[in-house]
mmCIF file of all heavy atoms in Angstrom:
data_model
loop_
_atom_site.group_PDB
_atom_site.id
_atom_site.type_symbol
_atom_site.label_atom_id
_atom_site.label_comp_id
_atom_site.label_asym_id
_atom_site.label_seq_id
_atom_site.Cartn_x
_atom_site.Cartn_y
_atom_site.Cartn_z
ATOM 1 N N LEU A 1 52.474 94.720 67.511
ATOM 2 C CA LEU A 1 51.529 93.945 66.699
ATOM 3 C C LEU A 1 51.750 94.223 65.212
ATOM 4 O O LEU A 1 51.742 93.310 64.382
ATOM 5 C CB LEU A 1 50.091 94.295 67.096
ATOM 6 C CG LEU A 1 48.981 93.587 66.296
ATOM 7 C CD1 LEU A 1 49.090 92.080 66.414
ATOM 8 C CD2 LEU A 1 47.610 94.074 66.749
ATOM 9 N N GLU A 2 51.968 95.504 64.903
ATOM 10 C CA GLU A 2 52.199 95.871 63.512
ATOM 11 C C GLU A 2 53.470 95.233 62.982
ATOM 12 O O GLU A 2 53.516 94.742 61.849
ATOM 13 C CB GLU A 2 52.285 97.405 63.401
ATOM 14 C CG GLU A 2 52.256 97.889 61.960
ATOM 15 C CD GLU A 2 52.162 99.402 61.880
ATOM 16 O OE1 GLU A 2 51.734 100.031 62.866
ATOM 17 O OE2 GLU A 2 52.531 99.943 60.827
ATOM 18 N N GLN A 3 54.521 95.224 63.825
ATOM 19 C CA GLN A 3 55.779 94.585 63.427
ATOM 20 C C GLN A 3 55.578 93.089 63.188
ATOM 21 O O GLN A 3 56.118 92.499 62.240
ATOM 22 C CB GLN A 3 56.852 94.780 64.516
ATOM 23 C CG GLN A 3 57.476 96.148 64.502
ATOM 24 C CD GLN A 3 58.559 96.258 65.587
ATOM 25 O OE1 GLN A 3 58.495 95.551 66.602
ATOM 26 N NE2 GLN A 3 59.501 97.139 65.375
ATOM 27 N N PHE A 4 54.776 92.483 64.059
ATOM 28 C CA PHE A 4 54.513 91.046 63.956
ATOM 29 C C PHE A 4 53.801 90.730 62.631
ATOM 30 O O PHE A 4 54.169 89.809 61.910
ATOM 31 C CB PHE A 4 53.640 90.624 65.154
ATOM 32 C CG PHE A 4 53.421 89.135 65.253
ATOM 33 C CD1 PHE A 4 54.418 88.292 65.731
ATOM 34 C CD2 PHE A 4 52.216 88.574 64.867
ATOM 35 C CE1 PHE A 4 54.218 86.931 65.821
ATOM 36 C CE2 PHE A 4 52.006 87.218 64.953
ATOM 37 C CZ PHE A 4 53.013 86.387 65.435
ATOM 38 N N LEU A 5 52.796 91.544 62.280
ATOM 39 C CA LEU A 5 52.062 91.332 61.043
ATOM 40 C C LEU A 5 52.938 91.613 59.824
ATOM 41 O O LEU A 5 52.852 90.921 58.810
ATOM 42 C CB LEU A 5 50.819 92.231 61.019
ATOM 43 C CG LEU A 5 49.748 91.909 62.079
ATOM 44 C CD1 LEU A 5 48.645 92.947 62.054
ATOM 45 C CD2 LEU A 5 49.177 90.514 61.857
ATOM 46 N N GLU A 6 53.769 92.654 59.940
ATOM 47 C CA GLU A 6 54.675 92.982 58.835
ATOM 48 C C GLU A 6 55.667 91.843 58.573
ATOM 49 O O GLU A 6 56.006 91.546 57.427
ATOM 50 C CB GLU A 6 55.432 94.278 59.132
ATOM 51 C CG GLU A 6 54.603 95.531 58.937
ATOM 52 C CD GLU A 6 55.389 96.787 59.265
ATOM 53 O OE1 GLU A 6 56.586 96.667 59.640
ATOM 54 O OE2 GLU A 6 54.810 97.884 59.161
ATOM 55 N N GLN A 7 56.109 91.215 59.662
ATOM 56 C CA GLN A 7 57.060 90.110 59.511
ATOM 57 C C GLN A 7 56.410 88.924 58.793
ATOM 58 O O GLN A 7 57.024 88.283 57.938
ATOM 59 C CB GLN A 7 57.577 89.678 60.883
ATOM 60 C CG GLN A 7 58.751 88.720 60.805
ATOM 61 C CD GLN A 7 59.378 88.480 62.173
ATOM 62 O OE1 GLN A 7 58.948 89.048 63.178
ATOM 63 N NE2 GLN A 7 60.391 87.638 62.215
ATOM 64 N N GLU A 8 55.143 88.641 59.144
ATOM 65 C CA GLU A 8 54.418 87.571 58.458
ATOM 66 C C GLU A 8 54.261 87.893 56.974
ATOM 67 O O GLU A 8 54.468 87.056 56.107
ATOM 68 C CB GLU A 8 53.033 87.372 59.092
ATOM 69 C CG GLU A 8 53.045 86.606 60.401
ATOM 70 C CD GLU A 8 51.639 86.180 60.808
ATOM 71 O OE1 GLU A 8 50.665 86.716 60.240
ATOM 72 O OE2 GLU A 8 51.519 85.309 61.675
ATOM 73 N N GLU A 9 53.892 89.164 56.713
ATOM 74 C CA GLU A 9 53.704 89.600 55.331
ATOM 75 C C GLU A 9 55.003 89.493 54.544
ATOM 76 O O GLU A 9 55.017 89.101 53.382
ATOM 77 C CB GLU A 9 53.177 91.039 55.337
ATOM 78 C CG GLU A 9 52.703 91.516 53.987
ATOM 79 C CD GLU A 9 52.085 92.914 54.082
ATOM 80 O OE1 GLU A 9 51.358 93.181 55.051
ATOM 81 O OE2 GLU A 9 52.358 93.716 53.172
ATOM 82 N N GLN A 10 56.097 89.851 55.207
ATOM 83 C CA GLN A 10 57.406 89.791 54.555
ATOM 84 C C GLN A 10 57.783 88.345 54.229
ATOM 85 O O GLN A 10 58.356 88.060 53.173
ATOM 86 C CB GLN A 10 58.466 90.432 55.463
ATOM 87 C CG GLN A 10 59.821 90.576 54.783
ATOM 88 C CD GLN A 10 60.839 91.279 55.679
ATOM 89 O OE1 GLN A 10 60.492 91.788 56.747
ATOM 90 N NE2 GLN A 10 62.077 91.304 55.241
ATOM 91 N N GLN A 11 57.452 87.450 55.142
ATOM 92 C CA GLN A 11 57.720 86.033 54.902
ATOM 93 C C GLN A 11 57.023 85.545 53.638
ATOM 94 O O GLN A 11 57.604 84.870 52.786
ATOM 95 C CB GLN A 11 57.222 85.195 56.093
ATOM 96 C CG GLN A 11 58.331 84.707 57.011
ATOM 97 C CD GLN A 11 57.756 83.771 58.069
ATOM 98 O OE1 GLN A 11 56.839 84.134 58.804
ATOM 99 N NE2 GLN A 11 58.284 82.583 58.153
ATOM 100 N N LEU A 12 55.750 85.906 53.520
ATOM 101 C CA LEU A 12 54.968 85.490 52.364
ATOM 102 C C LEU A 12 55.508 86.114 51.080
ATOM 103 O O LEU A 12 55.573 85.474 50.034
ATOM 104 C CB LEU A 12 53.495 85.874 52.563
ATOM 105 C CG LEU A 12 52.760 85.142 53.702
ATOM 106 C CD1 LEU A 12 51.427 85.796 53.991
ATOM 107 C CD2 LEU A 12 52.558 83.668 53.340
ATOM 108 N N GLN A 13 55.902 87.391 51.186
ATOM 109 C CA GLN A 13 56.448 88.083 50.019
ATOM 110 C C GLN A 13 57.748 87.428 49.548
ATOM 111 O O GLN A 13 57.983 87.277 48.341
ATOM 112 C CB GLN A 13 56.684 89.567 50.343
ATOM 113 C CG GLN A 13 57.022 90.403 49.114
ATOM 114 C CD GLN A 13 57.043 91.884 49.435
ATOM 115 O OE1 GLN A 13 56.958 92.291 50.599
ATOM 116 N NE2 GLN A 13 57.158 92.714 48.401
ATOM 117 N N GLU A 14 58.563 87.002 50.506
ATOM 118 C CA GLU A 14 59.822 86.338 50.157
ATOM 119 C C GLU A 14 59.558 85.015 49.434
ATOM 120 O O GLU A 14 60.257 84.652 48.483
ATOM 121 C CB GLU A 14 60.652 86.101 51.427
ATOM 122 C CG GLU A 14 61.292 87.365 51.983
ATOM 123 C CD GLU A 14 62.009 87.110 53.294
ATOM 124 O OE1 GLU A 14 61.978 85.945 53.775
ATOM 125 O OE2 GLU A 14 62.571 88.064 53.867
ATOM 126 N N MET A 15 58.532 84.278 49.902
ATOM 127 C CA MET A 15 58.177 83.019 49.225
ATOM 128 C C MET A 15 57.821 83.267 47.759
ATOM 129 O O MET A 15 58.273 82.561 46.859
ATOM 130 C CB MET A 15 56.983 82.350 49.931
ATOM 131 C CG MET A 15 57.275 81.766 51.286
ATOM 132 S SD MET A 15 55.779 80.968 51.947
ATOM 133 C CE MET A 15 56.324 80.566 53.606
ATOM 134 N N VAL A 16 56.986 84.293 47.538
ATOM 135 C CA VAL A 16 56.557 84.603 46.176
ATOM 136 C C VAL A 16 57.739 85.071 45.338
ATOM 137 O O VAL A 16 57.862 84.700 44.160
ATOM 138 C CB VAL A 16 55.436 85.667 46.196
ATOM 139 C CG1 VAL A 16 55.086 86.097 44.770
ATOM 140 C CG2 VAL A 16 54.200 85.123 46.903
ATOM 141 N N GLU A 17 58.632 85.867 45.924
ATOM 142 C CA GLU A 17 59.817 86.342 45.200
ATOM 143 C C GLU A 17 60.710 85.170 44.792
ATOM 144 O O GLU A 17 61.290 85.163 43.697
ATOM 145 C CB GLU A 17 60.598 87.341 46.054
ATOM 146 C CG GLU A 17 59.928 88.713 46.151
ATOM 147 C CD GLU A 17 60.662 89.657 47.098
ATOM 148 O OE1 GLU A 17 61.639 89.185 47.747
ATOM 149 O OE2 GLU A 17 60.264 90.825 47.205
ATOM 150 N N GLU A 18 60.812 84.166 45.670
ATOM 151 C CA GLU A 18 61.621 82.988 45.337
ATOM 152 C C GLU A 18 61.028 82.226 44.153
ATOM 153 O O GLU A 18 61.758 81.718 43.293
ATOM 154 C CB GLU A 18 61.721 82.067 46.569
ATOM 155 C CG GLU A 18 62.628 82.632 47.651
ATOM 156 C CD GLU A 18 62.467 81.938 49.000
ATOM 157 O OE1 GLU A 18 61.480 81.176 49.172
ATOM 158 O OE2 GLU A 18 63.306 82.165 49.883
ATOM 159 N N ILE A 19 59.695 82.177 44.084
ATOM 160 C CA ILE A 19 59.038 81.525 42.948
ATOM 161 C C ILE A 19 59.272 82.333 41.675
ATOM 162 O O ILE A 19 59.606 81.786 40.616
ATOM 163 C CB ILE A 19 57.522 81.379 43.223
ATOM 164 C CG1 ILE A 19 57.289 80.404 44.385
ATOM 165 C CG2 ILE A 19 56.784 80.902 41.972
ATOM 166 C CD1 ILE A 19 55.854 80.349 44.859
ATOM 167 N N ALA A 20 59.110 83.654 41.790
ATOM 168 C CA ALA A 20 59.299 84.533 40.629
ATOM 169 C C ALA A 20 60.753 84.522 40.160
ATOM 170 O O ALA A 20 61.027 84.493 38.954
ATOM 171 C CB ALA A 20 58.851 85.944 40.971
ATOM 172 N N ASP A 21 61.696 84.544 41.111
ATOM 173 C CA ASP A 21 63.115 84.553 40.748
ATOM 174 C C ASP A 21 63.520 83.272 40.013
ATOM 175 O O ASP A 21 64.418 83.283 39.171
ATOM 176 C CB ASP A 21 63.982 84.721 42.003
ATOM 177 C CG ASP A 21 63.858 86.127 42.591
ATOM 178 O OD1 ASP A 21 63.362 87.025 41.868
ATOM 179 O OD2 ASP A 21 64.232 86.322 43.770
ATOM 180 N N ALA A 22 62.857 82.162 40.359
ATOM 181 C CA ALA A 22 63.167 80.903 39.676
ATOM 182 C C ALA A 22 62.658 80.917 38.237
ATOM 183 O O ALA A 22 63.085 80.105 37.418
ATOM 184 C CB ALA A 22 62.556 79.729 40.432
ATOM 185 N N GLY A 23 61.722 81.836 37.953
ATOM 186 C CA GLY A 23 61.199 81.969 36.597
ATOM 187 C C GLY A 23 59.891 81.254 36.350
ATOM 188 O O GLY A 23 59.517 81.021 35.199
ATOM 189 N N ALA A 24 59.166 80.902 37.412
ATOM 190 C CA ALA A 24 57.915 80.165 37.259
ATOM 191 C C ALA A 24 56.792 81.077 36.793
ATOM 192 O O ALA A 24 56.640 82.200 37.274
ATOM 193 C CB ALA A 24 57.539 79.490 38.577
ATOM 194 N N ASP A 25 56.004 80.597 35.837
ATOM 195 C CA ASP A 25 54.795 81.295 35.385
ATOM 196 C C ASP A 25 53.540 80.712 36.025
ATOM 197 O O ASP A 25 52.510 81.379 36.118
ATOM 198 C CB ASP A 25 54.658 81.191 33.862
ATOM 199 C CG ASP A 25 55.864 81.758 33.139
ATOM 200 O OD1 ASP A 25 56.225 82.913 33.412
ATOM 201 O OD2 ASP A 25 56.459 81.027 32.313
#
């Protein structure tokens, strides 16, 4: 269960990193 939740969290973090890497404010 913890792995499952961590994977979801990681997915969301990757989305935000992609926005930040593009340079969006």
Side-chain angles (χ1 to χ4, degrees):
L1 178 59
E2 191 173 339
Q3 282 182 333
F4 186 77
L5 294 174
E6 283 179 0
Q7 191 171 359
E8 282 193 345
E9 191 175 319
Q10 188 177 352
Q11 256 186 304
L12 294 168
Q13 190 171 8
E14 286 175 359
M15 289 182 187
V16 174
E17 286 175 355
E18 287 165 347
I19 294 172
D21 290 344
D25 302 307

